[in-house]
Amino acid sequence: MIGTIVLAFICLYLFIVIEFCVFVYVRDELDVFENKLESYITFTNHSGVLTPVILQVKELISVTKGVWVATVLPASLTCVSYLFHILVCYRKHMKRLWAGDKHFLPLKFHNPASLESMVAIARYSGWQIAYILWGYLIIHIVQSLCGMAIMYGLVLPIVQTRAWKCCKGWASGCKCWAGILSLTCSESWGPPSCFVDPWSWP
């Protein structure tokens, strides 16, 4: 098990390095694309039909690059903490096995053959490493999407002096959710207190 965790650490490190190399390549290509967009804006003297769209695309590229880099560390720390959690669970299960407690295992694994144990160890190691790598990628994508939502929903409106419109939108959303919650609570608490016979209460 310790070997599996060490191998998972090494694979996670290599995966993060490869992902960062791919990010650097994509970033360089996006920089070239941004330079072309900037040359178009300069050529049209900021009066082209596509200038507002190009400015929004440049803002999207810039925000995406920043959020992707900023979420590398949280996603990595999440996976590393999960690996340490696996070690804690392994230690707890080993203590239970040393004490003779096998109730947490399925019945067919109470007395496994040696060949089955070797195959299960190899299969478990491969699956655990695959789960770690896929989990890192999924966590990184989800955190990046959350970061984009925070940037476009909270940070950029404040920076670009659209804070008042943003606050009005948040206020209307909060009022909508407050109405839904109050209606739900009134439906669940109101009828029993008004229409149920008190003598039939438990």
Side-chain angles (χ1 to χ4, degrees):
M1 185 62 191
I2 304 297
T4 301
I5 297 299
V6 172
L7 189 58
F9 270 114
I10 294 171
C11 291
L12 181 63
Y13 171 75
L14 292 175
F15 190 80
I16 293 171
V17 169
I18 292 170
E19 184 204 32
F20 193 76
C21 292
V22 172
F23 168 75
V24 169
Y25 173 76
V26 173
R27 184 195 62 189
D28 293 339
E29 294 295 324
L30 289 175
D31 288 340
V32 173
F33 180 65
E34 281 187 282
N35 291 333
K36 291 181 180 179
L37 294 179
E38 190 66 35
S39 63
Y40 171 80
I41 292 175
T42 305
F43 177 75
T44 58
N45 199 13
H46 295 271
S47 60
V49 179
L50 298 176
T51 299
V53 178
I54 290 174
L55 292 176
Q56 290 180 357
V57 169
K58 288 181 64 178
E59 179 184 81
L60 175 64
I61 292 172
S62 176
V63 170
T64 304
K65 289 191 291 188
V67 167
W68 188 264
V69 172
T71 52
V72 170
L73 184 62
S76 306
L77 291 178
T78 304
C79 290
V80 169
S81 65
Y82 175 69
L83 288 174
F84 282 113
H85 176 69
I86 292 173
L87 281 176
V88 171
C89 292
Y90 171 73
R91 183 171 178 266
K92 182 175 67 175
H93 291 161
M94 288 304 295
K95 282 185 174 181
R96 293 175 68 180
L97 286 175
W98 287 336
D101 182 13
K102 297 182 179 180
H103 296 298
F104 64 94
L105 293 174
L107 289 176
K108 64 178 181 178
F109 292 132
H110 281 193
N111 294 308
S114 58
L115 181 61
E116 291 179 354
S117 298
M118 293 297 294
V119 171
I121 289 171
R123 185 185 301 161
Y124 174 79
S125 301
W127 284 353
Q128 196 63 58
I129 293 170
Y131 290 152
I132 288 293
L133 298 183
W134 275 109
Y136 168 78
L137 186 61
I138 292 170
I139 288 171
H140 196 181
I141 291 173
V142 169
Q143 288 181 350
S144 298
L145 292 176
C146 292
M148 294 284 291
I150 291 171
M151 287 295 294
Y152 275 98
L154 189 62
V155 177
L156 288 179
I158 294 174
V159 171
Q160 297 173 353
T161 65
R162 296 194 305 237
W164 178 245
K165 291 182 180 179
C166 180
C167 290
K168 288 176 67 177
W170 280 101
S172 62
C174 289
K175 285 192 292 186
C176 178
W177 281 108
I180 292 172
L181 287 175
S182 63
L183 182 62
T184 305
C185 293
S186 64
E187 285 178 353
S188 60
W189 292 335
S193 61
C194 296
F195 300 107
V196 178
D197 191 5
W199 289 278
S200 64
W201 291 355

